[in-house]
Amino acid sequence: MVKLENINNIFLSDSVINLDHGDPTAYEEYWRKIGDRCTVTIRGCDLMSYFSDVNSMCWFLEPELAEAIKELHDAVGNAATEDRYIVVGTGSTQLCQAAVHALSSLAGTQPVSVVAAAPYYSTYVEETTYVRSGMYKWEGDAWDFDKKGPYIELVTSPNNPDGTIRETVVNRPDEDEGKVINDFAYYWPHYTPITRRQDHDIMLFTFSKITGHAGSRIGWALVKDKEVAKKMVEYIIVNSIGVSKESQIRTAKILNVLKETCKSETENFFKYGHEMMKNRWEKLRGVVKESNVFCLPKYPEAYCNFFGKTLGSYPAFAWLGTKEETDLVNELRRHKVMSRAGERCGSDKKRVRVSMLSREDVFNVFLERLANMKLIKSIDL
């Protein structure tokens, strides 16, 4: 009798694999081993009200989630939480939209320009153009931005798609004219060294890329300014009348497990994730080196305050390039690999973004197909 595992491998070997989306299923095995420690029981009479804390500005934020967020950031040392308002959202996508809305509504002149340095997260374009708001306007690459008037710069660090550490690019002397939204979705020790405790006006985080629980759709913002936080809350109230309590309770439970195990030798999630990502990047770099067709960015090592030693970066996405004049997204599609075109990220057709967060079997099939592309190229030459 053929084993089910073998049947799955046969099916996968001939199927299209989608590495366009950053669906973080790579961490399933860790959470399977954790077992029932993250189980949450919710009775039919629980969590029925819209309200979580009527005395809080963000009245739909569950108090236990707020506490879990503060404690985890304190344990990891990646962001300051003191003297800040926590705004919870349906993923950081909603929070980014809420922050752009808040800053634009408080600006003296509209529409407010929105920019990000290329290569940038492609969804920023969709977030700022989809509703065709008159309050703000997408102006593209921050490197080329020279328009007068108020602007918002979106800074992702480590950057999506290329994994580099980013700072602001526009940097005008008039602080009232320019505002910054810092997206730290990947500033966690399994992806990059934690070199400092980030301290910015608006900092976005997402549950999905920390632990892999993308389906819970939870993100949070740490916001210094009260009026900005109020406007963000107002946006979320109009947009979705709050955020799922069930998701918040589950998130709080899992974040508490993260905090409790982050110093453990055997159960440290960040250690597990770091070793997995390092292993995957080493395998990918090996294939790329052998191919003589592809290229990848190189990342400097840095001292990580969380792990207490010097480490490299292992981003959630590979910014894969080709040395040849070819449309790489179509080349990969021809080999049944879906990726995100570099042109969507403000780059060119010789670059693609590839997720490093798929299940192990999918990642291995990707490596095999990439290696075969090298062989096909050699025959063509």
Side-chain angles (χ1 to χ4, degrees):
M1 180 178 288
V2 180
K3 292 183 179 180
L4 180 61
E5 181 181 352
N6 293 334
I7 294 175
N8 289 338
N9 289 338
I10 292 169
F11 174 76
L12 184 61
S13 66
D14 195 44
S15 65
V16 174
I17 58 174
N18 192 337
L19 300 180
D20 178 354
H21 302 292
D23 196 18
T25 50
Y27 304 121
E28 285 177 342
E29 186 59 31
Y30 174 88
W31 295 111
R32 192 173 289 114
K33 290 178 180 177
I34 289 295
D36 293 336
R37 289 160 64 183
C38 294
T39 299
V40 176
T41 301
I42 300 174
R43 301 171 300 169
C45 61
D46 293 336
L47 310 176
M48 293 181 65
S49 172
Y50 284 117
F51 300 93
S52 297
D53 183 357
V54 294
N55 296 315
S56 172
M57 179 194 299
C58 188
W59 49 260
F60 46 83
L61 169 61
E62 287 292 306
E64 62 187 275
L65 176 58
E67 192 61 28
I69 288 169
K70 292 176 184 177
E71 290 182 357
L72 182 62
H73 281 301
D74 184 58
V76 174
N78 63 340
T81 59
E82 302 87 355
D83 301 318
R84 279 166 172 80
Y85 300 93
I86 299 177
V87 181
V88 66
T90 304
S92 60
T93 297
Q94 186 186 43
L95 289 164
C96 185
Q97 293 170 332
V100 169
H101 168 84
L103 294 174
S104 299
S105 65
L106 294 169
T109 306
Q110 295 171 344
V112 176
S113 299
V114 183
V115 297
Y120 43 71
Y121 178 38
S122 61
T123 306
Y124 287 154
V125 182
E126 296 153 12
E127 289 175 6
T128 53
T129 59
Y130 188 75
V131 298
R132 301 181 183 180
S133 172
M135 296 174 60
Y136 50 84
K137 183 182 178 183
W138 173 252
E139 293 287 354
D141 190 354
W143 296 107
D144 300 327
F145 181 69
D146 59 1
K147 189 175 180 179
K148 300 297 182 183
Y151 68 91
I152 299 168
E153 184 173 356
L154 303 172
V155 179
T156 308
S157 187
N159 191 40
N160 173 359
D162 67 355
T164 57
I165 300 301
R166 288 289 187 89
E167 302 285 348
T168 54
V169 167
V170 181
N171 294 326
R172 291 181 182 170
D174 186 354
E175 292 184 2
D176 292 331
E177 189 176 69
K179 302 296 181 182
V180 181
I181 300 172
N182 290 92
D183 186 343
F184 289 119
Y186 307 97
Y187 190 59
W188 295 93
H190 46 329
Y191 299 124
T192 191
I194 303 302
T195 57
R196 59 174 170 159
R197 195 166 174 252
Q198 300 293 347
D199 183 6
H200 300 277
D201 291 345
I202 304 174
M203 300 186 287
L204 306 183
F205 295 89
T206 174
F207 184 44
S208 65
K209 294 307 187 291
I210 307 172
T211 66
H213 294 89
S216 294
R217 305 309 307 128
I218 291 291
W220 61 89
L222 304 178
V223 185
K224 278 186 181 180
D225 186 87
K226 184 176 182 179
E227 292 306 310
V228 173
K230 283 173 65 176
K231 289 289 186 181
M232 290 178 69
V233 169
E234 288 173 9
Y235 177 92
I236 293 170
I237 292 170
V238 172
N239 188 255
S240 57
I241 319 179
V243 177
S244 166
K245 289 187 177 185
E246 288 86 352
S247 288
Q248 291 189 62
I249 295 301
R250 185 189 189 210
T251 301
K253 181 73 171 180
I254 293 172
L255 293 187
N256 282 329
V257 171
L258 274 192
K259 182 201 68 175
E260 292 163 4
T261 60
C262 72
K263 300 300 182 183
S264 167
E265 287 296 321
T266 58
E267 295 183 318
N268 186 333
F269 171 79
F270 295 115
K271 182 179 179 182
Y272 171 91
H274 174 79
E275 290 175 353
M276 183 195 71
M277 295 302 295
K278 180 181 179 182
N279 178 264
R280 289 190 174 193
W281 269 96
E282 288 174 349
K283 287 181 179 179
L284 177 58
R285 289 195 184 279
V287 170
V288 167
K289 184 178 180 181
E290 287 293 319
S291 75
N292 200 31
V293 173
F294 304 106
C295 57
L296 288 166
K298 294 181 179 179
Y299 306 105
E301 291 187 336
Y303 185 83
C304 178
N305 295 326
F306 178 79
F307 284 118
K309 57 185 176 181
T310 300
L311 298 170
S313 291
Y314 306 102
F317 296 100
W319 189 230
L320 185 66
T322 176
K323 300 174 183 177
E324 302 187 4
E325 292 297 327
T326 185
D327 190 334
L328 188 52
V329 74
N330 286 328
E331 276 292 311
L332 286 168
R333 187 181 293 120
R334 191 164 66 85
H335 289 77
K336 298 184 178 181
V337 177
M338 304 298 291
S339 60
R340 186 157 302 187
E343 292 162 306
R344 287 186 59 190
C345 304
S347 185
D348 56 47
K349 65 181 183 179
K350 295 172 65 176
R351 287 280 182 181
V352 295
R353 190 195 78 168
V354 177
S355 173
M356 297 290 285
L357 299 177
S358 65
R359 293 183 179 91
E360 187 71 15
D361 54 353
V362 173
F363 181 73
N364 288 334
V365 169
F366 163 62
L367 293 180
E368 182 180 339
R369 292 180 186 177
L370 201 64
N372 286 337
M373 286 179 69
K374 172 204 67 174
L375 295 174
I376 290 173
K377 287 290 181 184
S378 298
I379 292 171
D380 290 342
L381 291 172

